[in-house]
Amino acid sequence: MRTTALELGSRATSLTLAAALLAPSPALLGSSTARAAAPAPEAEAEAPAEGAEEAPAGEDPTLAEAKAKFEAGAARYTAADYGAAIDLWLEAYALLPATVDNQFIKAQLIYNVARAQQKWFDIDQDIKHLRQSREILVRYADELDALYEPSQAAIEREKIEDQIGELDAQIAEWEAEQRRREAELAERMRPTFDFEADAREEKRNKAMLGAGATLTLLGLGGGVMILGGSLMAKNAEEQIGNYPTEADVLEREGYLEQGVAGNALMIVGTLSASIFLTAGLPLVGVGAAAEKKRRQRRRDAGVEDVAQVRAVGPMLLPQGGGLSLSGRF
């Protein structure tokens, strides 16, 4: 059980990072530790041409490779190449066997990854780094009881919880800033409302609605003519049978003329209804749709329709009087 931990915040230097991998396991100590902390002696200059460093006698090659990857990651961390550092430390993590002796080392490697994610966010402002770092620290906090004595675990947990709280505040601040920027961008992209064009469109829509309504009424009038003519023709047909004799010729001719007039009225009504309704109803539909879109554009632009009183006058009623108002509401 280890009672030392990496320093938090800006104190997490490459030396404290190295302590996470080198201090816990005797298998990772020895001559390789000295080489990591000091310039290579002249004897090492005679290494094989391939550049591969042989592990000291008795050292596990897998652990030696993990240590090399850790040291390379620490170098990349110092150079602010946090993405490469994370990759190397995760490779070192994967190489370490899941044993009790390596449990502390693996946990500290993951902690280092969390710190690197935070540093990476400072460079590219990608929020995923902070979220990943927070998730890693939460998992790391769950392992503290298995890594430290109870008293030390409480101290470490307090540090980790403080760091998680700082991450939560950073994430919340970033999200608030994003919402502010999105709202600002939406406001800038909102087109300037053209009141003159809106007035012209309103006038055009009203003209279409007015013309369409007038033509529709004329078409309905044609329908009334059809109905009236039909009634006249039917009545004439019924009455003619009541005057079969020569003496009734005048009455019969009168009803015949009524029938002809009724038929003519039906023809005129049919033509009127077909022409005027065919022209009027589409105008009403197009005008109403255009006016609806115009009003929606006003709402989208935040322009409220203000009630306008255009005329005020007296109004006479059967039982008294009043005041009439006309306008747009």
Side-chain angles (χ1 to χ4, degrees), residues 66 147 216:
L147 299 174
T216 300

Side-chain angles (χ1 to χ4, degrees), residues 223-286:
V224 173
M225 292 171 66
I226 294 172
L227 179 61
S230 175
L231 293 175
M232 288 174 62
K234 182 178 179 182
N235 181 65
E237 183 179 2
E238 292 175 351
Q239 293 297 328
I240 286 174
N242 297 328
Y243 301 96
T245 65
E246 289 292 333
D248 301 327
V249 65
L250 293 178
E251 287 81 358
R252 190 166 56 250
E253 288 180 354
Y255 283 113
L256 284 173
E257 292 177 358
Q258 179 181 335
V260 171
N263 290 333
L265 193 61
M266 285 192 292
I267 293 172
V268 173
T270 300
L271 290 174
S272 299
S274 60
I275 293 173
F276 293 132
L277 289 177
T278 301
L281 290 176
L283 278 176
V284 171
V286 172

Side-chain angles (χ1 to χ4, degrees), residues 145-326:
D145 290 333
L147 299 174
Y148 297 97
E149 296 292 344
S151 58
Q152 184 65 27
I155 296 174
E156 295 299 323
R157 179 170 287 103
E158 183 178 356
K159 294 179 181 178
I160 296 300
E161 289 177 351
D162 288 344
Q163 196 165 353
I164 291 174
E166 292 176 2
L167 284 172
D168 288 339
Q170 276 188 280
I171 293 172
E173 181 180 357
W174 183 91
E175 291 175 344
E177 178 63 17
Q178 288 300 114
R179 289 192 295 270
R180 186 193 66 78
R181 290 182 179 181
E182 290 172 1
E184 183 178 304
L185 179 61
E187 184 64 26
R188 287 202 303 267
M189 293 181 66
R190 178 182 294 176
T192 303
F193 190 77
D194 190 337
F195 286 93
E196 292 183 0
D198 178 72
R200 290 194 299 270
E201 184 177 3
E202 181 184 18
K203 184 177 180 180
R204 182 174 63 250
N205 293 343
K206 287 183 176 181
M208 282 193 295
L209 288 170
T214 300
L215 292 173
T216 300
L217 288 174
L218 291 174
L220 293 175
V224 173
M225 292 171 66
I226 294 172
L227 179 61
S230 175
L231 293 175
M232 288 174 62
K234 182 178 179 182
N235 181 65
E237 183 179 2
E238 292 175 351
Q239 293 297 328
I240 286 174
N242 297 328
Y243 301 96
T245 65
E246 289 292 333
D248 301 327
V249 65
L250 293 178
E251 287 81 358
R252 190 166 56 250
E253 288 180 354
Y255 283 113
L256 284 173
E257 292 177 358
Q258 179 181 335
V260 171
N263 290 333
L265 193 61
M266 285 192 292
I267 293 172
V268 173
T270 300
L271 290 174
S272 299
S274 60
I275 293 173
F276 293 132
L277 289 177
T278 301
L281 290 176
L283 278 176
V284 171
V286 172
E291 182 63 13
K292 181 179 180 181
K293 290 181 180 179
R294 185 190 72 84
R295 290 180 180 274
Q296 183 62 48
R297 282 195 297 271
R298 290 178 65 89
R299 287 192 292 269
D300 293 342
V303 179
E304 297 294 336
D305 286 328
V306 180
Q308 297 180 356
V309 178
R310 297 179 176 176
V312 180
M315 180 173 59
L316 300 178
L317 298 174
Q319 298 178 351
L323 188 66
S324 68
L325 302 176
S326 64

Side-chain angles (χ1 to χ4, degrees), residues 98-111:
T99 63
V100 175
D101 290 339
N102 291 331
Q103 184 179 12
F104 181 83
I105 301 174
K106 291 171 75 73
Q108 290 291 327
L109 274 172
I110 291 300
Y111 175 82

